[in-house]
């Protein structure tokens, strides 16, 4: 019975970790794009 209770917990942890990694990747890419646009705006003026 304890093994059945542990397995959904492990599944939840494995589901949460990739979501956090995806959020970090998406935010970092978004930040790089914003920084690139800011740099382009500064150098164009």
């Amino acid at each position: 019975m304890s093994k059945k209770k542990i397995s959904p917990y492990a599944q939840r942890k494995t589901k949460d970790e990739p979501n956090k990694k995806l959020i970090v990747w998406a935010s970092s890419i978004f930040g790089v794009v914003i920084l690139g646009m800011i740099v382009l705006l500064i150098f164009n003026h």
Side-chain angles (χ1 to χ4, degrees), residues 1-13:
M1 296 293 270
S2 62
K3 288 182 181 178
K4 289 181 179 178
K5 288 181 180 178
I6 291 170
S7 61
Y9 230 41
Q11 287 177 354
R12 285 179 187 172
K13 285 184 179 180

Side-chain angles (χ1 to χ4, degrees), residues 24-39:
V24 168
W25 272 103
S27 60
S28 63
I29 291 168
F30 191 68
V32 167
V33 169
I34 290 173
L35 285 174
M37 294 299 286
I38 290 169
V39 168

Side-chain angles (χ1 to χ4, degrees), residues 16-30:
D16 287 343
E17 288 175 2
N19 286 340
K20 288 178 182 177
K21 287 181 182 178
L22 283 172
I23 290 169
V24 168
W25 272 103
S27 60
S28 63
I29 291 168
F30 191 68

